[in-house]
Amino acid sequence: MAGFPENFLWGGAFAANQVEGGAREGGKGLSTADIFPLSERGKGGCFDRTLDQILEAARDEDDSKYPKRRGIDFYHRYREDIALFHEMGFKALRFSISWARIFPNGDDKEPNPEGLAFYHSMVDELKKYGIEPIVTLSHFEMPLHLALEYNGWTDRRLIELFERFASVLFEEFHQDIRYWITFNEVDATVHIPLTGAGIIKEHTKDMEQAKYQALHHQFVASAVVTKLAHEKYPDLKIGCMTTKNLKYPATCKPEDCLQWLQETELDAFYTDVQVFGEYSYAIRNLWEKKGIRIAMEEGDGKLLKENTVDFVSFSYYASLVTSAEGAAKEKASANLLVGEKNPYLKQTPWGWQIDPVGLRFALNQMYSRYHLPLFVAENGLGTFDVMEDGRVHDDYRIDYVREHIRQMKLALEDGVPVFGYTYWGCIDCISASTSEMSKRYGFIYVDQDDQGRGTLRRIRKDSFDWYRDVIMSNGQKL
Ligand code: BGP
């Protein structure tokens, strides 16, 4: 089969906490994303905060110090931005709904009508242009109150609160939104527990146990809302989403290949739970070794088993290398993950190893394990852009996307059913890990710097026209 299917969902992706701004507008409560400051360049990400830093930020009225409180002002500019997505010919837009905009504290009895009204306006704008909304329920944020008062997902009561959140959204939007993803990169709970699950280390006795306990509650919550959707709104498609942690063995040395196999098997457990409805031998073995006991209630196993997802999605940015004596090797990073450098690959300025062939590898690997339709929920190049004579000549971004699309096409020809590709950061937005603007992904430049200075003007980059032609030709014109 040559080429992309007729109804392939070409588009873009972003998250509420990285674009909206309006942190205190329309009745929204502070979210866990609103407490992160700009990280110091080169000092790694800003995901880890102490309780004192969180409380200080929560009391801080000076929003200018917290880039995710301003985003790129999408909250007020969404009509202009969606019109630009339409100009590129988007078939789909993956975005998230901010829990704190709908339930400001997370445990409010009734939803916030202004929050619902904002998303109705946004979805109406998308439908006007025939752009399919793909909504992530939880994308690296939750009401700050739930982190501070419940210690996030470590508290089993969040299952019921999340069900309340999802059931309001399904009832409000089931006729307009068909595709739903429960948790963005659900593995984040293990890698970055404050961002992934609202876990505060000073409120946590045993963080290793707490992270997996929180993750279990998220899996149960995902199954609960999947059950609700399947029973009450049978047209909805529910998907899971992880960071694709693609690795290669450093050599053909058996010990390196065994290390690769064990790490790959272990990393698959996140998607295994949401596709097969049970915990794999690899994760059970890890818990055994670490003495981790997960508290599960009667019925959790049945719930997980009987309410699995309809499609599998993942983010793919880079690949890593692993080896038996990995610890000694020079480190490289790929999104939330750290591994070893690959001498055959170039890196972005933030050290992410660029590997388009890896996307074909990942798609084949995921399909051979899950046999479900696949969706590339994130792929993109975050790098410095320079404005020259009023334009950004981002050939490097065009090359990056062209090569990844080429490999996606080859995966389709391998027989892998990929049904969509939403380029991450289709418009410049606040970086999740560093809260920078400088790490630009967009086909659209936003005139705002790391400190929030600028006109917020939107400017088409060279990649804007290129991606429009890709979509118009259904992936033929690269
Ligand atoms: C993924 C997140 C996105 C996005 C992306 C790029 O982990 O799902 O929210 O941010 O990474 O990462 P960053 O923004 O840190 O460059």
Side-chain angles (χ1 to χ4, degrees):
M1 179 188 82
F4 291 89
E6 255 328 287
N7 53 0
F8 190 78
L9 293 178
W10 295 100
F14 51 55
N17 77 84
Q18 295 171 257
V19 298
E20 286 181 8
R24 303 174 193 272
E25 292 187 52
K28 175 181 170 293
L30 277 188
S31 85
T32 45
D34 294 325
I35 55 95
F36 289 112
L38 178 65
S39 73
E40 287 168 65
R41 173 67 52 72
K43 294 270 188 304
C46 63
F47 283 126
D48 189 18
R49 309 302 292 164
T50 65
L51 177 58
D52 287 347
Q53 289 170 325
I54 295 169
L55 292 172
E56 185 191 340
R59 288 190 295 268
D60 197 340
E61 299 287 319
D62 180 3
D63 291 346
S64 69
K65 288 155 59 180
Y66 308 93
K68 290 170 185 170
R69 295 187 191 181
R70 60 171 171 266
I72 56 168
D73 194 35
F74 179 80
Y75 184 69
H76 298 106
R77 297 164 188 259
Y78 67 93
R79 290 190 176 86
E80 171 195 357
D81 293 343
I82 291 170
L84 287 167
F85 303 152
H86 169 61
E87 197 182 321
M88 278 192 273
F90 276 21
K91 310 291 185 200
L93 178 72
R94 177 189 173 233
F95 63 98
S96 64
I97 289 181
S98 171
W99 193 347
R101 222 177 259 295
I102 310 301
F103 287 94
N105 298 296
D107 55 9
D108 321 74
K109 285 282 170 280
E110 295 304 322
N112 166 31
E114 285 183 272
L116 290 172
F118 167 68
Y119 290 109
H120 272 298
S121 302
M122 183 187 163
V123 170
D124 290 349
E125 207 63 21
L126 290 171
K127 304 302 271 189
K128 186 170 94 178
Y129 294 117
I131 298 176
E132 185 79 45
I134 298 171
V135 168
T136 309
L137 289 170
S138 174
H139 193 135
F140 285 2
E141 63 174 312
M142 69 167 65
L144 184 58
H145 175 73
L146 295 183
L148 291 170
E149 299 307 320
Y150 293 70
N151 200 21
W153 280 96
T154 62
D155 189 319
R156 192 174 169 97
R157 287 174 295 171
L158 261 80
I159 295 170
E160 186 220 327
L161 296 177
F162 189 74
E163 183 184 14
R164 184 185 305 168
F165 170 51
S167 59
V168 163
L169 294 184
F170 289 163
E171 185 52 29
E172 289 279 335
F173 296 101
H174 68 275
Q175 285 156 330
D176 294 319
I177 301 173
R178 185 159 174 249
Y179 296 98
W180 300 79
I181 291 169
T182 50
F183 291 94
N184 177 73
E185 297 186 343
V186 72
D187 52 292
T189 296
V190 172
H191 305 305
I192 46 172
L194 173 59
T195 289
I199 303 176
I200 293 174
K201 52 190 173 191
E202 291 84 350
H203 290 168
T204 306
K205 253 194 336 292
D206 171 355
M207 182 56 91
E208 271 306 284
Q209 197 282 337
K211 294 192 298 191
Y212 288 105
Q213 186 67 56
L215 189 61
H216 175 66
H217 293 152
Q218 288 172 306
F219 286 140
V220 171
S222 186
V224 164
V225 304
T226 301
K227 177 178 167 68
L228 170 64
H230 286 167
E231 289 175 355
K232 204 169 169 195
Y233 311 99
D235 288 347
L236 302 192
K237 296 291 178 201
I238 309 295
C240 61
M241 197 268 199
T242 52
T243 313
K244 181 55 193 164
N245 181 4
L246 178 64
K247 287 181 181 161
Y248 304 118
T251 70
C252 52
K253 194 172 149 202
E255 291 81 355
D256 287 348
C257 298
L258 182 65
Q259 180 72 21
W260 169 81
L261 176 69
Q262 290 175 331
E263 288 183 19
T264 301
E265 185 59 36
L266 179 59
D267 188 69
F269 100 87
Y270 301 99
T271 306
D272 288 353
V273 174
Q274 296 185 279
V275 172
F276 303 136
E278 58 189 34
Y279 289 104
S280 64
Y281 78 98
I283 188 63
R284 290 184 181 284
N285 186 28
L286 179 81
W287 289 341
E288 191 62 37
K289 279 190 189 142
K290 289 188 165 196
I292 291 174
R293 296 273 173 278
I294 304 297
M296 297 189 195
E297 290 195 2
E298 183 65 30
D300 284 0
K302 186 169 182 293
L303 203 59
L304 292 177
K305 194 72 183 167
E306 292 176 358
N307 301 285
T308 55
V309 295
D310 305 303
F311 65 90
V312 171
S313 76
F314 58 93
S315 59
Y316 176 79
Y317 291 93
S319 62
L320 290 164
V321 168
T322 187
S323 63
E325 63 286 335
K329 295 285 182 66
E330 197 178 349
K331 290 300 175 203
S333 63
N335 202 355
L336 308 178
L337 314 159
V338 177
E340 296 158 37
K341 267 184 181 308
N342 185 327
Y344 299 97
L345 300 177
K346 293 200 210 69
Q347 298 189 357
T348 71
W350 274 263
W352 295 14
Q353 296 187 118
I354 299 171
D355 177 12
V357 174
L359 179 55
R360 180 183 182 185
F361 190 112
L363 286 164
N364 274 278
Q365 194 182 47
M366 299 285 266
Y367 186 57
S368 75
R369 189 175 182 101
Y370 300 116
H371 295 288
L372 282 178
L374 298 178
F375 176 72
V376 182
E378 293 180 23
N379 171 245
L381 176 65
T383 191
F384 296 108
D385 283 338
V386 177
M387 183 61 71
E388 289 167 306
D389 53 59
R391 291 283 299 196
V392 173
H393 303 299
D394 54 342
D395 298 348
Y396 42 87
R397 183 166 291 109
I398 292 171
D399 293 343
Y400 179 100
V401 185
R402 174 189 294 119
E403 291 316 309
H404 283 81
I405 289 174
R406 279 213 173 104
Q407 293 300 325
M408 203 164 39
K409 190 187 279 188
L410 289 170
L412 278 158
E413 289 164 11
D414 295 338
V416 178
V418 199
F419 69 87
Y421 173 86
T422 46
Y423 174 86
W424 173 261
C426 47
I427 183 170
D428 287 351
C429 63
I430 305 290
S431 158
S433 54
T434 66
S435 288
E436 294 171 297
M437 273 302 291
S438 319
K439 189 177 187 188
R440 296 178 182 275
Y441 284 88
F443 300 126
I444 302 162
Y445 183 90
V446 174
D447 177 26
Q448 174 175 259
D449 67 12
D450 289 345
Q451 285 68 36
R453 292 175 302 233
T455 64
L456 284 170
R457 200 157 65 89
R458 274 68 167 146
I459 301 161
R460 297 167 185 78
K461 302 179 191 176
D462 290 359
S463 53
F464 180 101
D465 299 339
W466 175 82
Y467 194 52
R468 181 198 54 222
D469 295 348
V470 170
I471 297 175
M472 297 304 184
S473 66
N474 195 28
Q476 295 309 315
K477 190 171 177 219
L478 294 178

